[in-house]
């Protein structure tokens, strides 16, 4: 009997991480967890950016990452939310402007999931830091 092995398509995704609270520690922890959660991962440089919200005076550390995965969008978002929680993110933290870690799936292949975010200056700077 012939068995045909099908190779699942790998999806290229762009993810942004940011932190304004114990940023070095939380970004480092998030990177470790992201490396465990996703196989094919490529990191950009960590950059410091000013807060874009009017109610927050803390600077952010941001980092862009690309992943290649067979996972669907909801699975990727779920993994990112679990990592946020493991790094101390709560529903209340955003309302008070304290962000231990924020992880956003920006693109999935050619699909832009967060078009408004793609126009933000910190996203543009973080994108420029990705290796070619």
């Amino acid at each position: 009997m012939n068995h045909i092995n099908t190779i699942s398509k790998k999806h290229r995704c762009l993810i942004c991480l940011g932190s304004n609270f114990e940023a070095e520690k939380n970004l480092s922890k998030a990177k470790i967890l992201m490396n465990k959660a996703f196989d094919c991962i490529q990191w950009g440089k960590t950059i410091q950016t000013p807060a874009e919200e009017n109610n927050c005076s803390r600077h952010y550390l941001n980092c862009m990452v690309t992943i290649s995965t067979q996972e669907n969008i909801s699975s990727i978002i779920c993994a990112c939310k679990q990592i946020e929680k493991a790094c101390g993110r709560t529903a209340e933290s955003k309302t008070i402007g304290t962000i231990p870690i924020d992880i956003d799936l920006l693109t999935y292949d050619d699909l832009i999931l967060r078009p408004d975010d793609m126009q933000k200056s910190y996203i543009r700077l973080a994108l420029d830091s990705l290796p070619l």
Side-chain angles (χ1 to χ4, degrees):
M1 178 182 269
N2 282 338
H3 293 289
I4 299 173
N5 290 333
T6 58
I7 299 173
S8 295
K9 180 181 189 250
K10 290 267 189 167
H11 302 281
R12 186 175 184 275
C13 304
L14 190 60
I15 298 173
C16 186
L17 291 82
S19 175
N20 74 356
F21 177 74
E22 298 180 353
E24 288 181 20
K25 179 187 100 176
N26 287 317
L27 199 55
S28 180
K29 183 176 181 177
K31 284 181 176 184
I32 290 167
L33 295 172
M34 291 283 292
N35 284 329
K36 288 179 182 177
F38 302 105
D39 293 332
C40 300
I41 194 163
Q42 188 173 27
W43 291 95
K45 294 178 184 169
T46 299
I47 58 170
Q48 183 175 351
T49 59
E52 291 196 351
E53 308 90 28
N54 293 331
N55 64 340
C56 183
S57 60
R58 296 181 190 165
H59 281 66
Y60 279 79
L61 287 183
N62 293 102
C63 187
M64 194 68 67
V65 62
T66 58
I67 64 169
S68 180
T69 182
Q70 294 176 357
E71 298 295 327
N72 62 34
I73 292 171
S74 60
S75 295
I76 296 166
I77 292 172
C78 182
C80 292
K81 295 300 173 198
Q82 289 175 344
I83 293 168
E84 285 178 345
K85 188 175 181 180
C87 292
R89 178 80 185 253
T90 65
E92 300 82 39
S93 63
K94 186 169 184 172
T95 61
I96 61 172
T98 300
I99 310 297
I101 198 73
D102 182 39
I103 306 173
D104 293 321
L105 176 60
L106 302 174
T107 67
Y108 187 81
D109 292 329
D110 294 329
L111 180 62
I112 298 173
L113 302 170
R114 300 177 71 100
D116 291 343
D117 285 1
M118 294 300 287
Q119 302 307 313
K120 293 183 178 180
S121 59
Y122 71 92
I123 296 288
R124 309 304 268 166
L125 288 169
L127 275 170
D128 289 343
S129 80
L130 280 171
L132 296 174

